[in-house]
Amino acid sequence: MLAKLGLYANTIKLMKASQLYYRIRKMMKMNCSVGCDVSSDAGQAEPITTVPELDFDPVFVERFPADEILTDKITILHTSKEFHWNQKWHFDDKSALWNFNLHYFEYLFPLIDAYRKTDDRNYLDKSVEIINCWIDQNPQKSGGEGWSPYTVDLRLTNWLSYYSYVNEDLDTKFREKLLKSIYEQYVFLSCHLEKDILGNHYFEDLKTLILCSLFFHDDSVLEISLKAFRKECKEEILPDGMHFELSPMYHKLILEGMIRVAVALRERGKPDTEIEHYLQPMLDVAWSFEEGLERVPLFNDSGNNVAKSLQALVTSGKEHFEIQPVYKAKFENSGFYIFKKDDWKLIVDAGQPGPTYIPGHAHCDAGSFELFKAGKPVIVNCGTYAYQCKERSFFRSTAAHNTVMVNDTEQSQCWGAFRMAKRCKVSVKSATEKSIVIELIDQKKQRVTRNIQMNDSLMITDYSEKNKLTAFIHLAGLIEVDITGDKKNLKGNYAPDYGEMSLIDVVEYSGVGEISAWVNF
């Protein structure tokens, strides 16, 4: 009991007072509104400009085969389910994340893509059937995943784009039903902002309110939402362009949201230079991380099958804003450093474990790295797999990353699905084009210095006087690792995608005072 109280105390003390205030309001079933009432006139709906480069990104569309959906089968996060749509939209045998994704409606776009390419009405009719069934089976009073604000955010964004593509092909009765539901969800969202969570959730709330207010010509909500959105962007986008939750995957999701807002505002004759200012540095981050690689790097909560592809983001930036990504090797504000040698690419995480008040997507990955050869992952972090699951604690642990721990102590106290109590502190002592020296102070204030050098070989040396050190290297490719100290060859879980897991080789090595590992190129 005392240990549990300690976890709560060390978690809560780093939260913002406003988070606690709004969490209490939520527990008391009180609203958290945008600050003004949504316009009562829902009849002014006008399609907003879409971003087809994102909506019909081939990598994204392939995740949901349109012909499979025609047969009432849906595949989400590598798990398939026969679903006839006019039944309860929740499955006890599926993960919480799978059930949330079911309500996002990302799978509308493969259907519309197929309809646009073939002119086969069956694809459009199936999309109408699915939306009809959701509206009928998920009344607001039923609550559940379908009425979680974050789910409403993503669904509304997708439905607004869907409407823009096909509204002229819809019959009047369904169009009116769809608009009525969009408006109902818009009103709901305006009273259920996630100010208790903040971070990417609150960003998505504000993004969606902006898009809906443009859709309904609701100027009062637009003005207030834009002001809050600009303020949130200053908070969430670090000076080096990285999203402050320090996940390459979530960074891409936030960049997509920024692009959608900026495009929609331009189309309405309301271009916002402050918002557009973030696009170049954010695109630079995404490009620098993923350029030349076959997947997104796995730092903090990340997976390769959630965000749009790098190419779709790059194409959108060029098409709508005439910007091109610029490669950078150093991101000092977020703590990421990139090193290259011939066709080898090394990415090192020397950052803090996320924002102090919202470390829900943070892992014990300080000082960790991923190594790629010709774009293919060779030494990897283990990924994320899922959120509310028994494997969650492992995937956030120190042992799931290519880093080091002192006296068998986790770097930070991760608990629950999204909690972190005592946490480590990280500082970069020096960084050159070929090396970086990082000091890590773990949750028990134990210090270790990690020196990573990339010349004709990759050399990792950890030092902590008189302390036991244990480090991990996870191998996704055929590569030899030499070490000093005691060595164990193990097997470990690896999840480069959400919902899919496999076993890979793991080298665990330990010693007292100093240990080293190196990879000859």
Side-chain angles (χ1 to χ4, degrees), residues 178-196:
L178 173 61
L179 290 175
K180 181 180 178 181
S181 181
I182 290 174
Y183 180 75
E184 180 189 11
Q185 294 175 63
Y186 171 41
V187 173
F188 173 88
L189 179 61
S190 72
C191 299
H192 294 83
L193 303 183
E194 294 170 286
K195 291 186 179 181
D196 59 320

Side-chain angles (χ1 to χ4, degrees), residues 242 246-250 252 285-291 293-304 310 336 338 345-349 365 369-372 375 377 379-384 494-496 498:
M242 183 70 181
L246 307 182
S247 154
M249 181 195 81
Y250 275 98
K252 290 167 70 178
V285 170
W287 175 260
S288 301
F289 271 61
E290 206 172 332
E291 165 260 343
L293 306 186
E294 64 177 32
R295 67 152 170 78
V296 68
L298 302 179
F299 295 97
N300 296 305
D301 277 343
S302 288
N304 199 50
L310 174 66
F336 287 100
I338 303 173
K345 183 173 182 177
L346 177 76
I347 306 176
V348 177
D349 179 0
D365 65 356
F369 62 90
E370 287 205 310
L371 179 67
F372 299 82
I379 297 178
V380 299
N381 291 317
C382 290
T384 301
Y494 175 49
Y498 280 73

Side-chain angles (χ1 to χ4, degrees), residues 362-378:
H363 289 199
C364 292
D365 65 356
S368 68
F369 62 90
E370 287 205 310
L371 179 67
F372 299 82
K373 178 177 173 57
K376 296 187 177 299
V378 176

